[in-house]
Amino acid sequence: MSRPEEKFVSFDIDGREVRAPEGAMLVDGAKYGDVEIPVFCYEPKLGPPVGACRMCLVEIEGIPKLQTACSTPVKDGMVVITKSDRVQSAQNAVVEFLLVNHPLDCPVCDAGGECPLQDVAYGWGPGRSRFIEPKRHFKKPLELSPTVAIDRERCILCYRCVRYSQEIAEDHQLVLLERADHSFVGTHDGAPYVGPFSGNIIDLCPVGALTSVPYRFRARPWDVEEAGTVCTLCPSQCNVTLTVRDDNKVLRAFNRQNDEVDDGWLCDKGRFGYQTIHAADRVVHPMVRDGGTLRAVPWERALSEAVAGLRKAGAGTAALVGGEATNEEGFLLQRLLREVLGSSHVDSRPSGRLEGEHARVLARPDLSARVSDIDYADVVLVLDAEPVDEAAILDLRVRKAARRNGARVVVATSRPSSLDANAEAVVRFAPGASEAALAALGAALTGGAGLDDLARRAGAPAETVRAAASLLGAAESIVVLWGERLSHGARGPQGVAALLALMRSLDITGKEGSGLIEIPSSTNARGLREVGCLPNLGPGLVPTAGEGLAAADMPGAVGEDISALVLLQADPLRTHPDRQAWAAALDRATFVVAFTDFLGEGVLEQADVVFPAPSYAEKEGTITHPDGRLQRLRQSIGLVGEVRPQWGVLAELAAALEDKPVELLSSPMATEQMVAAVPFYAGVTLAEIGGRGVRWQDRDAASSLAAAELPDGALESPPELGDGLRLGTVLSLWTGKVTEHAPVLSFLAPQQRAELSADDARRLDLSPGDVVEVGFDGTRVRAVAALRDAVPPGSVFLVEGTRTDNATALTNGAPRTVEITRVPDAVAKGTSLPLAADAGAADASTSVAGSAEAPPA
Amino acid sequence: MTYDPGPDVIAVQRGPEPGGAGGAYRIFGETLRGLKTTLARVAEGPVTIEYPEEKTPVYPRFRGRHKLQRFEDTGLEKCVGCSLCAAACPADCIRVVAAENTPEHQVSAGERYASVYEINMTRCIFCGYCEVACPFDAITMGHDFELSDYTRSDLIFTKEMLLAEPLERTPLRREGE
Ligand code: SF4
Ligand code: SF4
Ligand code: SF4
Ligand code: FES
């Protein structure tokens, strides 16, 4: 489906001639003539209207009965009356009727002051009630889930929440139970409504029936101010509005609709994750290591120690940049390293290396799709990524494209995906074999030579590859969501080459509304790369004179070429493969500076200087969306504790190292310098970015990116699959600080679980819930066995980034085969499960071994 | 060059100046008329009220220091922390932070109660809007107007102060007084 063109028709409303887009519902069309028609159930985001509440009745000339304006499209020459006595008495009647069972307990209701029911009752209601009979009663307040409270007495049965659950989130959990005035909203089985996007029903509910548990009774609209910024908890970079009280406390986050980014939805991580900003254990003072432990010190002391340490290390400094850093911060850090310290060891990617040529091809404007292209794509290809866990809001986008516009979804992943049910073709390849899978898809598209061999190397049935390829080949427009993961590891460059070859055979650059959208492994990954946080590429993806070491090579070089490490909101023990190597590297490094908001174990034990990192609500600067949209972070609250702006600290460090006065005085100055350094950002101003962001590909300066050609050489043949159980690691939406430091989300903290097929479980004599150890040689990770039918035999999946038993202990960027052993019950009982296990041990595998009371049988 | 104001000039029309007799009356006659009133009151003796030893009684509807009410039977607070008074207050001097009642800690009759309730008396203009806005008659205005203190911060009245029985130090005007 291609993007529909807008045509305008003119119609008459309340005696006024109005032009509105054809096909718009009357409610929306009326707005073009500044006429407001009250609604409750109408919400265009939820898809086609249902006409459940009758609030929007209007008179249309030529139709004897009143019509619902929310489900009547405007037509040329239509004559509409919204202010006649007939309409008014109908509106009065509907309001009176809706209020029959409504408790009108506004003073204790959280929606009070921002409640559409209050507004409509004032604006269109009769003003007095004739109802003296008893109202219906429900037990209240109840928790629909740990994050959403439900008050059924207040519900006006508009169906919005139910439609959301059925048609947007597609979790099919919420239903309207019973009939008539006994109806109430609940889950079909009475279980809590838990899902990655459940919080959206709070925004949708037009009354105070569904309210947020953490915001419960916190404030009224007139007690607070609203601050628009961008969520930086995952690469989706949803636009959010933060509710701020007393200029210093974030009380809630809700959507700030931007159809080019989030379509007006938020995931629960973004909605409730703001609680981490005010977590009691957040780092809000600078600290230095003093006699073995970290102690809070004044800024001057921390800065001078950092300067001394970095000066000593000089060119032996390496830096890791985490995804929460802004473009400005990344830019200043790479400049600090390259120009002041003379080191090129800076990387924002956790694993593998990105060839300069590949980076420039991937950045080509005609090769990148915008998020809204998903809506109208013929085929959406999800490649080695699980959107719901890695860039949550794109999951809803793909579902929407499939449901509403008939997009055909093709999923090519190793782990069963939550989009499988919506997919028309699924290619399930072995973990780590994405390169072979891509090559196989390419072969199937170009005649099938070598397909069987490649499919075998990918561990995927050849017919599934063929089915997927035939869908791709026939498509007029294709949007490819590809996971950065396929570029990780030692064979990352070959993976990217295979991806680009596939794009070439699909002729994607020649297709309207088609392109790639990367799902990176961290929030601002794209921006950080573009501003120069890569060992081989400087700002603007320009090759640098000397090449530094990529993240994967850093641990090995610590103690030789590298003596100091700078961690800018990065925690390699959590997110980078080969945890042991990183743990040892941090230990060996003579000097470690960390910018962080929470003390991860590596920082806690190894950092010499810790600078408190501002949260996204305290930051000022820009970040770049995976589709190239520059977005603006705006400071919403005062800096917490003694936190200072991170760009300022980096500028101060650079100035002190050079013995110069600080020249960078404000965040806009930093933005200006960053923009000036990246040719294809040239001329972007904060005002131009504004509240909606601007894609750099859409600006004239984009042409300054030297056009790199899609490589057309023959691909290397991908490696053979080995025997044995192959380990795949996956990301989870719920790992990291949100579940560890936001109290309301803590119930979602993931336990390490080993997902495997029923066949393998039978072979290994495992049943669901067994405590197992997964590993190879001496390295083991403890997990709970979980059987999943859709997992192909021969694969086992673990979660990356858990607090204990992190799967990164077992990965090093190369495919890995593992063994699984059951931990005997006696031992399993004697030890706490992974989640409850004590944090702080430097190494997950030793912590497990050390906590076992009896020797494993 | 002289300034030419152009057509903007407005000519002021004056009445005729009073002559000699009229002028004299203006100076002495009117003054004497005023003095007549003054001197007539002398016989009545002094009317100064010796505040603070003596206080003017106030009318029943006089709007003085606020009080937060409790239910007489249960002792629960009437205020549910809805913040409507804060919304109504034109001087923006009321701060309410609500919290949730629990069975172990039942403060008010509804689901929520005010965990913080402050009125900044230095800003209050005693308009009584809070009283009007309150859906539960929880905040009322009493008769005390003696609110001065030595520091500004002492004039931020907390919930405890507002809930406490106020000192009745202002006499109420009797019926017909
Ligand atoms: S709970 Fe809210 S959104 Fe759901 S049906 Fe009731 S009023 Fe509508
Ligand atoms: S999907 Fe990502 S960016 Fe959007 S609200 Fe959730 S965490 Fe934030
Ligand atoms: S005093 Fe009345 S209006 Fe003010 S918060 Fe309490 S209940 Fe609401
Ligand atoms: S808004 Fe039209 S029927 Fe509900």
Side-chain angles (χ1 to χ4, degrees):
Chain A
M1 184 179 163
S2 52
R3 270 175 207 256
E5 271 174 44
E6 264 198 358
K7 262 199 273 157
F8 276 74
V9 295
S10 65
F11 68 105
D12 181 295
I13 185 160
D14 293 341
R16 218 177 303 178
E17 171 96 3
V18 171
R19 286 174 62 72
E22 188 180 19
M25 294 301 158
L26 213 38
V27 170
D28 294 327
K31 288 184 192 144
Y32 285 77
D34 284 343
V35 174
E36 194 183 353
I37 299 174
V39 297
F40 282 118
C41 68
Y42 179 60
E43 170 55 70
K45 285 197 286 187
L46 291 176
V50 292
C53 72
R54 320 312 285 177
M55 192 59 235
C56 59
L57 291 173
V58 293
E59 222 175 313
I60 298 177
E61 226 175 72
I63 306 180
K65 283 197 173 179
L66 298 182
Q67 297 295 306
T68 49
C70 70
S71 47
T72 313
V74 290
K75 289 214 184 61
D76 213 27
M78 200 178 218
V79 178
V80 185
I81 300 153
T82 73
K83 303 227 155 61
S84 66
D85 288 347
R86 246 180 102 201
V87 173
Q88 203 176 6
S89 76
Q91 287 169 337
N92 283 345
V94 172
V95 170
E96 200 178 6
F97 196 60
L98 286 175
L99 292 181
V100 157
N101 272 318
H102 192 85
L104 283 173
D105 54 352
C106 307
V108 294
C109 173
D110 248 347
E114 46 187 3
C115 173
L117 183 60
Q118 281 183 332
D119 298 345
V120 173
Y122 261 80
W124 289 272
R128 55 171 58 232
S129 167
R130 295 173 288 168
F131 194 75
I132 47 167
E133 290 76 11
K135 302 199 173 204
R136 62 176 189 163
H137 286 292
F138 284 105
K139 195 163 171 273
K140 70 179 204 176
L142 284 180
E143 283 195 356
L144 186 62
S145 79
T147 53
V148 183
I150 184 165
D151 184 320
R152 296 192 165 113
E153 294 181 356
R154 295 185 191 139
C155 171
I156 58 166
L157 304 175
C158 71
Y159 277 85
R160 278 187 180 208
C161 53
V162 174
R163 281 161 69 202
Y164 172 79
S165 160
Q166 305 288 337
E167 297 183 16
I168 304 295
E170 297 186 348
D171 52 33
H172 306 285
Q173 292 189 53
L174 283 187
V175 283
L176 219 50
L177 299 145
E178 299 288 350
R179 295 253 144 195
D181 66 333
H182 295 288
S183 318
F184 63 93
V185 169
T187 51
H188 57 81
D189 54 0
Y193 177 47
V194 177
F197 306 103
S198 65
N200 286 312
I201 57 174
I202 300 168
D203 287 353
L204 284 173
C205 182
V207 298
L210 298 170
T211 52
S212 149
V213 169
Y215 186 62
R216 194 166 159 79
F217 302 161
R218 287 296 184 280
R220 289 279 182 218
W222 49 85
D223 295 330
V224 297
E225 283 168 299
E226 284 172 0
T229 186
V230 177
C231 170
T232 62
L233 297 173
C234 93
S236 310
Q237 300 183 7
C238 301
N239 293 191
V240 292
T241 304
L242 300 180
T243 293
V244 177
R245 186 161 193 178
D246 301 337
D247 295 339
N248 62 10
K249 198 146 169 72
V250 179
L251 293 182
R252 135 179 102 166
F254 58 96
N255 73 66
R256 179 164 68 82
Q257 183 153 2
N258 186 346
D259 290 345
E260 290 293 337
V261 177
D262 50 36
D263 231 2
W265 306 120
L266 282 190
C267 77
D268 287 4
K269 177 155 130 183
R271 183 175 302 272
F272 302 111
Y274 69 85
Q275 284 196 328
T276 54
I277 299 168
H278 303 293
D281 49 356
R282 199 183 135 188
V283 181
V284 291
H285 304 280
M287 295 193 268
V288 301
R289 187 162 303 275
D290 194 358
T293 49
L294 287 172
R295 258 181 244 293
V297 293
W299 269 97
E300 285 55 43
R301 161 110 192 266
L303 282 166
S304 66
E305 299 230 345
V307 168
L310 293 178
R311 184 169 280 148
K312 205 153 120 224
T317 310
L320 293 181
V321 190
E324 283 198 81
T326 62
N327 292 344
E328 288 76 6
E329 291 159 359
F331 171 73
L332 291 171
L333 179 68
Q334 64 87 29
R335 191 166 73 178
L336 171 72
L337 254 79
R338 290 203 164 104
E339 291 174 20
V340 180
L341 297 171
S343 153
S344 278
H345 311 312
V346 52
D347 205 352
S348 56
R349 302 172 78 252
S351 164
R353 339 174 35 90
L354 186 62
E355 306 274 334
E357 196 60 18
H358 286 164
R360 280 187 296 277
V361 179
L362 286 170
R364 269 173 60 155
D366 58 352
L367 201 59
S368 72
R370 53 175 64 226
V371 170
S372 61
D373 283 337
I374 300 174
D375 288 353
Y376 303 107
D378 256 356
V379 168
V380 179
L381 169 61
V382 179
L383 204 57
D384 210 3
E386 175 65 321
V388 69
D389 282 319
E390 297 170 27
I393 227 67
L394 293 181
D395 177 76
L396 294 184
R397 204 74 186 214
V398 175
R399 288 173 193 280
K400 173 183 167 195
R403 168 178 289 271
R404 285 206 221 153
N405 299 338
R408 316 173 91 178
V409 179
V410 179
V411 175
T413 57
S414 38
R415 185 194 187 208
S417 161
S418 65
L419 288 168
D420 281 354
N422 304 55
E424 282 192 34
V426 175
V427 179
R428 189 102 316 134
F429 53 83
S434 49
E435 179 196 343
L438 283 163
L441 274 171
L445 270 170
T446 51
L451 170 61
D452 289 325
D453 176 51
L454 287 168
R456 187 176 47 78
R457 285 172 198 251
E463 61 274 21
T464 61
V465 177
R466 234 176 256 125
S470 75
L471 274 176
L472 289 172
E476 270 167 32
S477 54
I478 306 171
V479 173
V480 183
L481 300 175
W482 65 282
E484 183 191 314
R485 194 183 312 140
L486 69 80
S487 70
H488 285 174
R491 288 192 69 83
Q494 288 86 341
V496 178
L499 173 72
L500 294 176
L502 179 66
M503 292 307 114
R504 196 183 167 83
S505 39
L506 285 171
D507 184 27
I508 203 145
T509 51
K511 289 185 171 143
E512 195 61 29
S514 305
L516 296 168
I517 298 179
E518 179 185 354
I519 298 190
S521 55
S522 64
T523 305
N524 190 25
R526 175 163 194 156
L528 292 172
R529 268 177 247 157
E530 292 176 346
V531 300
C533 292
L534 286 178
N536 49 343
L537 298 176
L541 304 175
V542 176
T544 49
E547 264 193 37
L549 292 170
D553 304 324
M554 285 180 192
V558 171
E560 292 158 25
D561 294 350
I562 296 177
S563 56
L565 283 169
V566 180
L567 309 175
L568 184 67
Q569 299 198 272
D571 184 355
L573 294 192
R574 267 307 173 86
T575 49
H576 288 48
D578 213 353
R579 196 183 135 92
Q580 285 87 332
W582 273 107
L586 285 177
D587 196 26
R588 271 202 315 277
T590 44
F591 189 65
V592 179
V593 189
F595 295 78
T596 186
D597 44 3
F598 291 100
L599 292 176
E601 48 197 275
V603 172
L604 189 65
E605 280 163 24
Q606 309 294 359
D608 297 291
V609 178
V610 176
F611 292 119
S615 66
Y616 66 98
E618 294 150 76
K619 278 195 185 186
E620 186 83 55
T622 61
I623 52 177
T624 309
H625 188 274
D627 82 348
R629 178 171 299 274
L630 282 155
Q631 304 208 80
R632 189 166 169 196
L633 290 181
R634 307 208 57 176
Q635 190 174 353
S636 310
I637 53 170
L639 292 157
V640 173
E642 283 181 37
V643 177
R644 287 189 186 176
Q646 213 155 254
W647 59 264
V649 178
L650 289 167
E652 208 164 316
L653 284 178
L657 282 165
E658 290 186 304
D659 285 322
K660 282 203 249 167
V662 185
E663 275 164 12
L664 198 63
L665 301 176
S666 70
S667 164
M669 276 173 82
T671 308
E672 216 170 281
Q673 294 188 358
M674 180 275 294
V675 165
V678 180
F680 46 86
Y681 287 179
V684 174
T685 59
L686 290 173
E688 188 183 349
I689 296 173
R692 301 257 158 248
V694 56
R695 273 183 93 221
W696 64 257
Q697 292 97 326
D698 298 343
R699 302 174 71 259
D700 294 339
S703 57
S704 66
L705 182 75
E709 283 305 311
L710 277 172
D712 59 351
L715 291 177
E716 274 175 45
S717 125
E720 288 280 351
L721 281 181
D723 293 329
L725 207 49
R726 292 170 65 99
L727 172 71
T729 57
V730 295
L731 297 173
S732 157
L733 184 60
W734 299 122
T735 49
K737 62 180 175 185
V738 284
T739 46
E740 283 155 32
H741 303 286
V744 68
L745 292 178
S746 59
F747 77 104
L748 288 164
Q751 260 187 9
Q752 187 56 271
R753 38 183 254 154
E755 252 175 39
L756 70 173
S757 66
D759 281 359
D760 287 327
R762 209 169 305 120
R763 188 169 51 79
L764 295 163
D765 188 23
L766 297 176
S767 30
D770 280 355
V771 178
V772 296
E773 282 185 348
V774 184
F776 62 96
D777 300 343
T779 319
R780 315 222 145 249
V781 158
R782 188 165 287 210
V784 177
L787 307 195
R788 207 166 149 187
D789 281 342
V791 173
S795 308
V796 55
F797 294 96
L798 290 177
V799 182
E800 265 179 42
T802 50
R803 195 169 68 134
T804 56
D805 296 304
N806 190 342
T808 55
L810 302 178
T811 56
N812 65 354
R816 166 84 74 207
T817 52
V818 288
E819 287 146 23
I820 302 186
T821 47
R822 180 144 56 110
V823 180
D825 287 349
V827 183
K829 253 192 233 109
T831 61
S832 43
L833 278 180
L835 182 63
D838 206 26
D843 185 306
S845 57
T846 56
S847 92
V848 169
S851 57
E853 280 169 12
Chain B
M1 211 177 90
T2 51
Y3 168 68
D4 174 17
D8 286 348
V9 171
I10 297 167
V12 178
Q13 308 267 321
R14 288 180 196 279
E17 290 288 319
Y25 176 74
R26 245 204 210 172
I27 294 165
F28 300 108
E30 292 289 299
T31 309
L32 287 173
R33 212 152 65 87
L35 268 177
K36 186 180 143 209
T37 312
T38 311
L39 295 173
R41 299 274 87 78
V42 169
E44 289 175 14
V47 290
T48 311
I49 295 173
E50 293 290 341
Y51 185 83
E53 286 79 28
E54 240 182 284
K55 289 170 190 171
T56 321
V58 296
Y59 287 99
R61 286 174 58 187
F62 179 85
R63 297 188 302 271
R65 179 194 193 275
H66 309 70
K67 175 165 171 17
L68 278 173
Q69 303 290 340
R70 290 178 187 275
F71 286 105
E72 266 160 29
D73 46 350
T74 55
L76 292 176
E77 291 168 14
K78 284 189 176 175
C79 172
V80 299
C82 69
S83 256
L84 284 178
C85 47
C89 178
D92 201 6
C93 64
I94 306 183
R95 185 176 125 93
V96 184
V97 178
E100 183 158 10
N101 282 314
T102 54
E104 305 82 56
H105 186 64
Q106 184 83 28
V107 180
S108 76
E111 279 171 60
R112 65 196 265 166
Y113 72 95
S115 63
V116 175
Y117 190 102
E118 289 170 359
I119 301 187
N120 185 344
M121 291 296 177
T122 60
R123 297 186 66 168
C124 177
I125 57 166
F126 299 94
C127 62
Y129 280 14
C130 50
E131 207 178 11
V132 178
C134 181
F136 298 101
D137 293 338
I139 186 92
T140 57
M141 301 192 83
H143 300 137
D144 191 7
F145 54 77
E146 297 176 309
L147 297 169
S148 47
D149 214 320
Y150 292 101
T151 61
R152 288 190 178 86
S153 55
D154 286 349
L155 281 163
I156 296 175
F157 279 34
T158 60
K159 186 170 130 182
E160 286 64 44
M161 295 160 79
L162 292 165
L163 276 169
E165 280 306 320
L167 298 172
E168 278 304 340
R169 44 192 176 185
T170 324
L172 200 60
R173 206 172 275 250
R174 279 189 308 273
E175 196 73 35
E177 207 177 332

